[in-house]
Amino acid sequence: QVQLVESGGGLVQAGGSLRLSCAASGRTFSSYGMGWFRQAPGKEREFVALISRSGGYTLYADSVKGRFTISRDNAKNTVYLQMNSLKPEDTAVYYCAADASVTASKRPSGYDYWGQGTQVTISS
């Protein structure tokens, strides 16, 4: 069982930056691949980024590539999402998720545990 708690969301102007954090409970954090997803009002939840258990492999959605960076600190049981050059279309609730399988998944169904989400709002 893993409990995930996101933080760091807020309201920023376009072009600004935010750093999201996701703190995980339990002593087996390093055995989970981690992902970030987002969901805007009226839209489906979409993949943003993922990181492997060791942090050696990352993958990004085309819409955020070059602007967002996912990282993790297994000693702190935390995964991060650094978001730069933010755009109004990045506005959404951002969720972190933990994947117990060995395959990295871009699909929400591939994840076993989810946080409650944190709101990110980008003003134009």
Side-chain angles (χ1 to χ4, degrees):
Q1 186 81 12
V2 176
Q3 292 184 327
L4 305 172
V5 179
E6 301 97 334
S7 61
L11 171 64
V12 297
Q13 290 187 330
S17 297
L18 280 173
R19 188 193 197 201
L20 305 183
S21 298
C22 173
S25 65
R27 296 178 291 179
T28 59
F29 177 70
S30 60
S31 65
Y32 292 90
M34 298 297 297
W36 284 98
F37 291 77
R38 65 187 182 186
Q39 188 166 18
K43 295 188 176 181
E44 292 187 352
R45 192 166 298 189
E46 66 172 356
F47 168 75
V48 175
L50 65 82
I51 189 166
S52 63
R53 299 171 180 182
S54 67
Y57 174 76
T58 58
L59 185 66
Y60 297 92
D62 287 344
S63 59
V64 307
K65 198 173 297 182
R67 299 188 298 122
F68 290 12
T69 302
I70 188 171
S71 62
R72 67 189 296 163
D73 185 337
N74 286 342
K76 295 183 178 180
N77 283 12
T78 303
V79 61
Y80 305 98
L81 187 67
Q82 178 67 44
M83 306 187 296
N84 299 329
S85 302
L86 284 161
K87 304 175 181 179
E89 51 264 44
D90 294 319
T91 295
V93 177
Y94 282 70
Y95 299 88
C96 71
D99 176 8
S101 72
V102 297
T103 56
S105 177
K106 296 170 64 175
R107 298 174 298 152
S109 61
Y111 289 78
D112 303 285
Y113 303 100
W114 291 83
Q116 83 290 346
T118 185
Q119 177 70 48
V120 171
T121 304
I122 312 302
S123 62
S124 57

